[in-house]
Every structure is written in C-alpha cells, then in structure tokens.
Amino acid sequence: MKFAKLDMEGLQQIFGDCTQQELHELIEYVDDVAQKRECLPFDKTKKYSVKKQVLVNYLISVFVGQESVLHIYKKLSSTAVSEYIYRRLIWESEKIETSEIREKFQYKFDMRASSSYAIETTNLPNELSLVLKTKSAYYADTSDILSINRKFQPILKLVFPIPKDYELEAIQLLEETKYSYTNEGEVLHFITVIEDMLKNRFVEFGKTNEKPLSKSLSILKSSTGINEFYTQTSLNSFAIDMLTRSFYYYSQVVKAFEQPVQNVLRHFTTLQFNDRLHFFITRIFLAHLKKVRYDSYYSNQRALFGVLHSIIKEMPEDDYVSVENIIQFCKYRNYYVDIEAKHKTDEYSIDIQPIKSAHMSVTCIYADTYYNELVFEPMLKASLFYMGALGLMELKYNDPISPYAVSAKDQPYISPWDSLKYVKFTKLGKYIFGLSETYEYEKKETKKTTIKFDEYNPIITVDKQDVLMHAKLEPYTEKQSEGRYILSHAKIFRECKTKKMLEVKIDGFFKNIEANPPQVFKDFFDEIKRNADMLKKDSKHVVIELHNNKKLLNIFMKNKKLQEIVIKAQGYRIIVLKENLPKLTKILKDNGFFIEF
C-alpha cells in the first residue's frame, strides 16, 4: 500500500485550516487508534482552553508516523461498509446517496424524522463518525446524502491508500484515434509571419479588443500553414485564433520579438504560465458556455495555468499519458479552478440534447459534478489543446461526442474538447519546459512572393494565392481585376492626418513591398510628396458676415475706427485680424449692437 505524503509546511496548512472544534473531532477519532493518549500535551478535560497550535502540532506528530497512519487506516476500513464509503468519499466522489449503500450492503441507517423544516446534518456512529449524513425536510422522498467535511478530505488522503492512477503513468498501448495532431513544425514559422503582420498592423481585433477579426485570421491561416484541430466549418479556426490572440498580446508587452524564434516561444510560455499577458485565453476554452463573467483580476486563469504546470512537471518525458489519467490526477489532488466567483456559477446554463438547459446550481447536491463536466474538465482539456497549438504537445483525439447524445440528430458534444484521449511532449515542448537543453529549428522556407511591376503604369500583379502580399498592397492600391492592382491617391491618403504620417506610409511601401520598384512608381510617390501641404490655413484672419441692417451697415461705412480695422469688404462679408476682434466688438456695443464671438 502506498500513501500520499505532505511536508511539514503542507501539514501545518491543512491542519491550520481547521477550526478548534474540527481539530478536537479529529483527535477524538485518531487518538485511541494512534495509541498516543499518554502523549497528549494537554488535559482533555480542559480541551477548549488549549491553544489551537498545540492541537495542530499534536495531530502533525500523529500523521507523520507510518505506524499511526496504518492504525488510522485500519479503523477507517474496519468494515466493508466503512472501507467502501471512505474510499469513495476520499478519492472518488464528494457525495454518496444512502440508497446506494443500502442496496449494496443492506446497511440500515438511522431514519429518524427531521424535527424541523430545514436541512439536518448528523454524524454516523462509530468508525463512520467522520461521515456526515444530510437529510432535508423539503425533499423527504429523496435519498439522504453522505459526505465528509471538506477540510478533512486532504487530511484523510494521507491515511487511506492512494488509487492506482494517482500518478501520471506512461501509456505504451494506445487505443486507435481518428486524429493525431502536432503543430511543432508550423508554430515557429507562424511567429515569424505574425511578427511581420503586427509590424504592418494587419492583425485587427473587434470593438471589445478580445477577438481577432475573421479577415486577419484568414490572412494568417493562408500565410502560415497552421494545422487546425478539425476540418468542420464551425471548428476549423481554434488553433489560429488561439495563436493570434496569444502573440498579439505578447507583442503589446515585448514590442519587438527576439531571435532565435524558439526563444520567443519560450519567453511567451513563461509569461503565459505566470499570467503576465493580460488577456483571457480561457474565453476560447469556455466557448461552449454563454455569458461567463470572468474574474477581472485574472487570478482564476492564473490558477488554471498553475494546475497545468503541475501536470507538466509530472508527465513522462517521452511517452503518451491518457487524459483520463490527467483528470483523475487533478481530482485526487483537489485541483479546482473557478473562472469567476463561485456563487455566479448558479446562473450558468448550456443546451445539451436531448437534455435541454442543464443548469449547474450551487444548491444542487451534484453542483460539483455539473461544474466538473461542463466547466473544469472542458477547460482543462482545452488548455492541453492550447499546448498542442503552441507546438508543445502531440495530441490524439476523436470527433467530440456528448455522453448525452442518443441519436445523430442530437447535439454531438458539450465542448469541442470532449474527445481528447492522449497527450505527450514534442521535442520543442521538452525544450520549452526545460527537459532538454537545445532545440534545432529547421527554418521553414517562405514561399517567394510572385509580384510583377508594370514598367509604364503604377500597376502591380500578384499571385492570387499570396494572401499576405494582397494585404500589404491594400493600403496603397485599388483592385482592377483578380490579382491586379493600381496605386490610388485615395487609399494612400486614407488615415494620414499630417504630412509626416503620409511620408511614413510611403516609406512603408518601399520597406515592406519593394525597395526598388520601376521609376513610374517612384515618380508617383515623389509627385505626392511634392504636392503635399500646398495649401496653408490662415489662422490670423477672420471672415465676418454682416446682417442686412441699415443702421449696422451705416456704422461700418462711416465709423473711421472700424474702417481702419477692416482689411477687406465684399458684399456683406468683411475680413479682420483675429487680434482686432475685441476692438470691433467694443465699437459695435458702444453703438447699441450686442456682439458675441
């Protein structure tokens, strides 16, 4: 038998989380078994006056001893019923219905009627005294529920043998899967391409600045050859979306990417695992849920990557591990991530055919089961798909199929991540996670751009497959026909508010498209520069329009001081210096005309 172990700091934490009343309850259960009654460092008749730390220290001394651990386990498993209940509640499920125990063992529970219209919780007797039985008067016809104080669960895991799948084990014989996925050969090329696109501002996001525009994703997908997880229309953009969001926000932090490119990926991964990139990649992970209100301080996303980091540390270096093993690994260690405040989960819903709108209510006895199935497990699997998109893991999976589907007409899955079966490190992943010291990057040859410049007209012809070059030409040209573009004043002037901005945009043509195009192109741009800023705005003079008022017009014709101020008069309009407006206003006010400028 193998038992889980904690260091002294861990023991101090789990016992320190208990109240004094809970500590006394544990001492009552383990003291006679551990045979340390004579070693009690306090008088049990005055136990409520004992300081909490004394109780904590005593329990630590009991739980670190191998002999004591075996004695406590012997009491927990002293009957078939107690062994079954404790094993289930400690390692497998947070709750058990009493009907299951009655049917399996013909065990008789105390069926006293509830004394009030409220939820009643009592402890079972003898060796089962750490088990709670909950009965609600509101649901008299339903089975009672057995559970363990949540604070006791990590403590009892130290004295009950660990399950066979407690650790992550290498799998040699794999079930056949429909898909085998690796993005190792493409992700580094993707980083070099998106860096170029980011410099040219070709990566655009929607109004909320959360989701990249489909136009940007289309350009990147065509230009990089990124492998997608699925081919179905509704599922064929997850990988490119994940990577685009990731390196767009990475560029906001580092401004310029480093070389070699594998070190860019390693730096990015470090920042992501430490949650230093302020964006919610989990929005993609939980796309199957609607109206998720994410924690504004990112702490829960950080917790998810903390769980992922724990998994990565324990994974075999060169073999596949099953995702079911990973899920159990997390459950046994109480890894639990709320993406937002727990009470908000009550309002989540999802349409699952044929079960419509399955609600996860915190008041439901199986709320945690719903949360695991609909939130935590999909989120965890999605994070492994994310590692696949980053080229760090190889994946094996099938088309997602819902356990609730009963026919082809039913919605086929809860989340697109459902059917992930196995994962293992790629060579790149081992380098990124520090399992190997070097990584040789075989640089992918970029397809040469097929672009032709007309010698006599500012016309450019591009291969229609070269999506990135089409995007680069868009700010400068109008489309004449398929693959044929002509320089356009309107396009070049667009979004240029100053002469300097115009010059920068023109320089971008020579930098990003062609450094030495035919003379006709150079002449086109030179003429634009020469003709720029030919008009000057006169901010010193003001044009004033007069009303057709006989008295007002006579003042302007006869008043010598006004005539000295007016530079030019034509029709009912006059021009004066802006600095003379106060003088003009005073003269008119003195003659009975109120003026407001």
Side-chain angles (χ1 to χ4, degrees):
M1 291 185 295
K2 289 184 179 180
F3 293 88
K5 291 185 178 180
L6 282 177
D7 57 19
M8 292 301 290
E9 184 180 348
L11 289 168
Q12 178 69 46
Q13 182 176 338
I14 62 172
F15 286 116
D17 286 343
C18 295
T19 65
Q20 282 193 263
Q21 178 61 43
E22 289 166 338
L23 293 174
H24 283 298
E25 187 177 345
L26 283 171
I27 289 172
E28 286 293 330
Y29 191 87
V30 307
D31 192 47
D32 61 322
V33 179
Q35 297 180 356
K36 291 204 171 191
R37 190 177 297 278
E38 70 279 9
C39 300
L40 278 176
F42 54 85
D43 184 352
K44 289 194 72 174
T45 63
K46 301 178 181 179
K47 62 182 181 180
Y48 291 108
S49 63
V50 179
K51 290 184 178 180
K52 179 179 177 180
Q53 190 57 49
V54 174
L55 304 178
V56 169
N57 292 341
Y58 170 68
L59 283 168
I60 289 176
S61 72
V62 172
F63 277 75
V64 294
Q66 185 64 26
E67 185 178 350
S68 298
V69 167
L70 290 171
H71 279 308
I72 298 168
Y73 167 59
K74 186 177 179 180
K75 182 172 183 178
L76 292 170
S77 59
S78 58
T79 66
V81 174
S82 67
E83 196 281 337
Y84 180 82
I85 291 175
Y86 279 119
R87 176 170 51 80
R88 285 284 310 277
L89 293 177
I90 292 170
W91 292 114
E92 297 176 19
S93 174
E94 292 192 359
K95 298 176 179 68
I96 308 174
E97 294 187 13
T98 53
S99 57
E100 177 185 338
I101 306 302
R102 282 199 300 268
E103 292 170 9
K104 190 174 182 68
F105 297 98
Q106 288 74 53
Y107 186 87
K108 294 183 179 180
F109 291 93
D110 182 2
M111 300 301 291
R112 288 180 302 170
S114 177
S115 60
S116 65
Y117 291 99
I119 295 173
E120 265 195 9
T121 298
T122 57
N123 291 79
L124 294 182
N126 304 321
E127 71 277 359
L128 287 168
S129 62
L130 294 180
V131 178
L132 303 172
K133 181 168 71 71
T134 302
K135 181 178 181 62
S136 173
Y138 298 118
Y139 304 103
D141 294 335
T142 63
S143 175
D144 293 351
I145 301 301
L146 302 180
S147 63
I148 292 178
N149 185 328
R150 283 194 178 213
K151 294 179 184 178
F152 290 171
Q153 192 182 43
I155 297 170
L156 295 180
K157 283 182 176 181
L158 302 174
V159 291
F160 210 95
I162 60 175
K164 291 180 180 180
D165 53 352
Y166 182 79
E167 304 292 351
L168 297 180
E169 300 291 342
I171 290 190
Q172 305 298 336
L173 188 62
L174 283 72
E175 295 179 13
E176 186 176 349
T177 57
K178 183 175 181 179
Y179 302 104
S180 292
Y181 179 93
T182 178
N183 209 28
E184 182 180 8
E186 284 72 30
V187 68
L188 298 181
H189 177 62
F190 170 88
I191 294 172
T192 61
V193 172
I194 196 172
E195 180 184 19
D196 186 31
M197 287 187 61
L198 289 166
K199 287 178 180 176
N200 288 281
R201 299 182 180 180
F202 293 154
V203 181
E204 297 179 82
F205 277 63
K207 292 181 180 179
T208 61
N209 206 36
E210 284 284 350
K211 186 176 181 181
L213 298 181
S214 56
K215 175 184 174 182
S216 298
L217 294 180
S218 178
I219 294 172
L220 277 163
K221 188 182 290 188
S222 301
S223 305
T224 60
I226 281 294
N227 294 322
E228 277 297 338
F229 306 129
Y230 301 103
T231 57
Q232 298 97 306
T233 303
S234 60
L235 304 174
N236 66 352
S237 293
F238 281 120
I240 199 74
D241 193 353
M242 288 176 173
L243 294 174
T244 302
R245 297 188 197 211
S246 296
F247 288 96
Y248 171 80
Y249 285 99
Y250 177 70
S251 71
Q252 308 301 302
V253 175
V254 301
K255 303 304 179 185
F257 293 3
E258 300 174 359
Q259 292 296 330
V261 69
Q262 58 265 39
N263 290 350
V264 176
L265 180 58
R266 183 158 63 179
H267 185 226
F268 164 80
T269 305
T270 300
L271 292 179
Q272 180 64 288
F273 271 79
N274 291 324
D275 206 29
R276 295 293 182 265
L277 300 172
H278 285 183
F279 75 108
F280 284 117
I281 190 66
T282 40
R283 288 193 187 277
I284 301 178
F285 297 174
L286 296 177
H288 61 292
L289 291 175
K290 298 177 181 179
K291 298 181 180 180
V292 178
R293 292 167 293 181
Y294 294 84
D295 178 357
S296 59
Y297 295 100
Y298 295 86
S299 60
N300 293 325
Q301 181 165 283
R302 185 184 301 119
L304 173 63
F305 279 96
V307 171
L308 190 57
H309 184 254
S310 298
I311 293 167
I312 288 166
K313 285 197 304 182
E314 299 300 325
M315 277 180 60
E317 288 189 20
D318 299 304
D319 296 292
Y320 279 101
V321 63
S322 79
V323 173
E324 185 57 39
N325 190 180
I326 290 174
I327 290 171
Q328 291 301 110
F329 174 90
C330 294
K331 286 182 179 178
Y332 293 148
R333 289 158 180 79
N334 289 337
Y335 292 156
Y336 190 86
V337 179
D338 279 319
I339 209 62
E340 64 176 5
K342 185 76 169 72
H343 69 274
K344 297 178 185 176
T345 308
D346 185 37
E347 298 176 17
Y348 288 174
S349 66
I350 182 172
D351 288 335
I352 308 171
Q353 299 290 349
I355 303 173
K356 283 276 190 179
S357 193
H359 292 277
M360 295 176 295
S361 169
V362 293
T363 60
C364 173
I365 61 170
Y366 293 115
D368 294 324
T369 301
Y370 279 119
Y371 188 86
N372 281 328
E373 288 184 5
L374 302 182
V375 181
F376 180 72
E377 289 181 19
M379 189 164 53
L380 180 61
K381 291 176 182 178
S383 68
L384 296 171
F385 269 99
Y386 184 42
M387 294 298 102
L390 288 167
L392 308 179
M393 289 185 183
E394 294 180 24
L395 315 174
K396 286 187 176 295
Y397 54 97
N398 297 307
D399 286 319
I401 300 175
S402 169
Y404 303 102
V406 294
S407 72
K409 293 181 180 180
D410 294 337
Q411 184 172 323
Y413 52 83
I414 294 175
S415 83
W417 325 111
D418 286 351
S419 295
L420 182 61
K421 299 287 289 182
Y422 308 103
V423 297
K424 81 168 184 175
F425 293 123
T426 61
K427 290 181 180 179
L428 177 59
K430 289 196 284 186
Y431 170 73
I432 296 302
F433 294 127
L435 301 175
S436 60
E437 295 182 0
T438 59
Y439 180 78
E440 294 297 325
Y441 170 43
E442 296 181 12
K443 191 171 182 179
K444 191 174 181 180
E445 276 193 35
T446 304
K447 186 180 178 181
K448 290 186 178 180
T449 300
T450 53
I451 182 169
K452 295 179 181 178
F453 294 87
D454 195 299
E455 295 287 337
Y456 306 103
N457 296 289
I459 295 173
I460 303 170
T461 305
V462 188
D463 185 342
K464 63 180 181 179
Q465 303 297 327
D466 194 343
V467 180
L468 184 55
M469 183 53 70
H470 284 267
K472 288 183 177 182
L473 288 173
E474 199 276 335
Y476 301 93
T477 62
E478 297 283 359
K479 187 175 180 179
Q480 281 195 322
S481 59
E482 191 66 36
R484 186 176 170 87
Y485 298 85
I486 186 169
L487 290 182
S488 161
H489 290 104
K491 284 292 190 72
I492 295 169
F493 294 160
R494 185 177 295 174
E495 297 180 356
C496 292
K497 297 180 180 180
T498 65
K499 184 178 180 181
K500 180 65 177 176
M501 292 173 70
L502 178 63
E503 290 173 347
V504 169
K505 188 169 184 178
I506 290 173
D507 290 343
F509 180 92
F510 293 96
K511 181 180 178 181
N512 300 313
I513 297 175
E514 177 56 51
N516 188 29
Q519 190 62 40
V520 66
F521 290 85
K522 297 175 183 177
D523 292 343
F524 189 94
F525 288 119
D526 286 342
E527 183 181 11
I528 287 176
K529 289 181 179 180
R530 283 195 306 271
N531 294 339
D533 210 18
M534 296 289 281
L535 303 177
K536 296 292 183 183
K537 184 172 70 174
D538 184 356
S539 58
K540 294 182 179 180
H541 295 83
V542 177
V543 177
I544 298 173
E545 185 171 350
L546 306 177
H547 283 272
N548 186 7
N549 181 282
K550 186 175 181 180
K551 182 179 179 181
L552 178 64
L553 297 176
N554 281 335
I555 293 172
F556 275 92
M557 287 190 296
K558 295 178 180 180
N559 191 296
K560 291 183 178 180
K561 289 183 179 181
L562 276 179
Q563 290 172 359
E564 291 173 0
I565 292 173
V566 175
I567 295 172
K568 184 175 181 180
Q570 184 175 357
Y572 292 106
R573 289 185 177 87
I574 61 171
I575 299 176
V576 298
L577 288 171
K578 187 183 290 186
E579 64 187 39
N580 286 331
L581 283 176
K583 293 180 182 179
L584 182 144
T585 302
K586 185 177 184 308
I587 294 169
L588 291 174
K589 284 182 177 179
D590 290 344
N591 285 276
F593 290 91
F594 178 79
I595 303 297
E596 180 183 4
F597 287 119

